[in-house]
Amino acid sequence: MNHTPKYSLIVPIYNEEENLPELYRRISGVMERLDGPVELILINDGSRDRSLEILRELHEQDSRICYLSFARNFGHQIAVTAGLNFSTGQVAVIMDGDLQDPPELILDMIEQWRSGYQVVYAQRTHRRQESWFKRFPAYIYYRILRNLADVDIPLDTGDFCLMDRCVVDVLNALPERNRYIRGLRAWIGFKQTAVKFERDPRFAGDVKYTFSKSFALAMNGLVSFSTVPLQLSIYLGLFSALVSVLMAFLVLYWRLFSPGAALTGLTIIIMAIFFLGAVQLVSIGILGQYIGRIYEEVKGRPLYTLAEVAGFGDRPKPSK
């Protein structure tokens, strides 16, 4: 591109060949209504379908489209990070590529930015056509995270947001490797506000955030912004000590007043072993989550590797 964009729209793409034509149609309609130059940064996160081919075609027909293609799948949060690294606009907007985040809401976000807010996040009021099995755990998780986290992470928000250049620069400068964008966005601070919306169902294709991926992201957010799980080990240890004292009194009572009780002898020993084993394993597992993140940080590997880059002109590649 021969000019510096005012707006950078960042969209991670993973196996979205069915959504890309409609995504481009709706985003291009929004871009036409913006009051300055815009770049649309699409990040191919190791897709196995025709997503990369479609990105090439879109880039050929629209010079505003830039794309990055990872050498393999690195995950949604890293794809968003790469888009932020390459963005140059005064404003950066992050949204998903499945059209659950309505592109038209970008115009409302920009209005809030013009009124002085440096971070404008989209806050879900309703999830259309999502099952109770998916909505209820998400509802509970966001409230647990907000109560346990060291920062105030807004309820029912994802990565769909607008950020001013000053916020993007700070976010890009953060060195940590286990990225939880919505948490980092809250941690950075600045003047923030919400834009309410009802989340649409996926336009086409299969859900990319499976239960296991959603659970991993939830754990990442909890461990990255709270040390309460570490304190849980202490509480479990104190609780097990209390239980062991009570069990000792019960065994003494049964031995003295009810020698034939079924819970004396081998049964009570097995129960104690299982209980203490469970406490130890939970504590080790919690500790392992934090140690694993230390291990990832000290290795110092790049966050991602790029196989293909197009549409960014001669601008230097950012360090990762």
Side-chain angles (χ1 to χ4, degrees), residues 107-224:
L107 300 173
D108 295 332
M109 292 178 168
I110 291 173
E111 286 301 316
Q112 293 295 326
W113 172 68
R114 287 177 182 148
S115 67
Y117 291 98
Q118 293 149 312
V119 176
V120 183
Y121 51 84
Q123 191 168 43
R124 297 181 290 265
T125 58
H126 182 64
R127 297 170 179 253
R128 295 174 180 168
Q129 297 183 17
E130 286 191 359
S131 65
W132 176 88
F133 179 75
K134 185 173 183 179
R135 284 186 286 113
F136 183 70
Y139 176 87
I140 295 298
Y141 165 71
Y142 281 113
R143 280 143 188 85
I144 292 175
L145 179 62
R146 186 171 193 179
N147 283 291
L148 298 186
D150 300 327
V151 295
D152 184 14
I153 300 177
L155 296 174
D156 304 318
T157 58
D159 296 324
F160 189 20
C161 70
L162 175 150
M163 293 184 289
D164 186 85
R165 170 49 51 184
C166 64
V167 180
V168 174
D169 289 342
V170 174
L171 191 58
N172 285 337
L174 295 179
E176 62 191 80
R177 320 192 64 74
N178 289 283
R179 316 285 286 189
Y180 187 66
I181 301 298
R182 66 201 72 171
L184 293 174
R185 184 181 68 206
W187 180 88
I188 287 173
F190 293 95
K191 192 176 180 181
Q192 306 195 9
T193 190
V195 171
K196 310 284 187 179
F197 81 110
E198 292 188 5
R199 197 176 197 201
D200 294 326
R202 164 175 276 274
F203 178 76
D206 297 327
V207 175
K208 302 303 183 297
Y209 254 111
T210 60
F211 177 79
S212 60
K213 289 183 179 180
S214 297
F215 182 76
L217 180 66
M219 287 297 298
N220 184 36
L222 187 59
V223 173
S224 296

Side-chain angles (χ1 to χ4, degrees), residues 43 45 70 74-83 85 177-179 181 303-304:
I43 305 96
D45 187 19
F70 286 170
F74 283 90
H76 180 272
Q77 298 296 289
I78 301 303
V80 170
T81 299
N85 291 160
R177 320 192 64 74
N178 289 283
R179 316 285 286 189
I181 301 298
L303 288 176
Y304 51 86

Side-chain angles (χ1 to χ4, degrees), residues 251-292:
V251 170
L252 180 62
Y253 173 82
W254 287 328
R255 286 294 187 187
L256 293 176
F257 302 102
S258 184
L263 290 177
T264 58
L266 184 61
T267 304
I268 199 74
I269 292 174
I270 293 175
M271 290 172 59
I273 291 173
F274 272 93
F275 175 75
L276 293 175
V279 170
Q280 290 173 347
L281 288 174
V282 169
S283 301
I284 292 172
I286 292 172
L287 188 60
Q289 287 289 324
Y290 288 89
I291 293 176

Side-chain angles (χ1 to χ4, degrees), residues 40-145:
L40 173 57
I41 303 175
L42 302 171
I43 305 96
N44 175 44
D45 187 19
S47 298
R48 296 188 296 271
D49 61 2
R50 292 186 59 254
S51 293
L52 180 56
E53 297 176 35
I54 297 174
L55 295 186
R56 292 173 181 146
E57 294 170 0
L58 292 175
H59 169 63
E60 288 296 324
Q61 71 183 63
D62 191 338
S63 61
R64 297 173 298 180
I65 293 181
C66 318
Y67 70 86
L68 310 170
S69 184
F70 286 170
R72 66 168 178 83
N73 177 260
F74 283 90
H76 180 272
Q77 298 296 289
I78 301 303
V80 170
T81 299
L84 291 171
N85 291 160
F86 276 80
S87 67
T88 56
Q90 298 175 33
V91 170
V93 177
I94 302 167
M95 62 175 293
D96 286 342
D98 54 11
L99 290 173
Q100 289 188 285
D101 297 336
E104 295 75 16
L105 197 66
I106 293 172
L107 300 173
D108 295 332
M109 292 178 168
I110 291 173
E111 286 301 316
Q112 293 295 326
W113 172 68
R114 287 177 182 148
S115 67
Y117 291 98
Q118 293 149 312
V119 176
V120 183
Y121 51 84
Q123 191 168 43
R124 297 181 290 265
T125 58
H126 182 64
R127 297 170 179 253
R128 295 174 180 168
Q129 297 183 17
E130 286 191 359
S131 65
W132 176 88
F133 179 75
K134 185 173 183 179
R135 284 186 286 113
F136 183 70
Y139 176 87
I140 295 298
Y141 165 71
Y142 281 113
R143 280 143 188 85
I144 292 175
L145 179 62

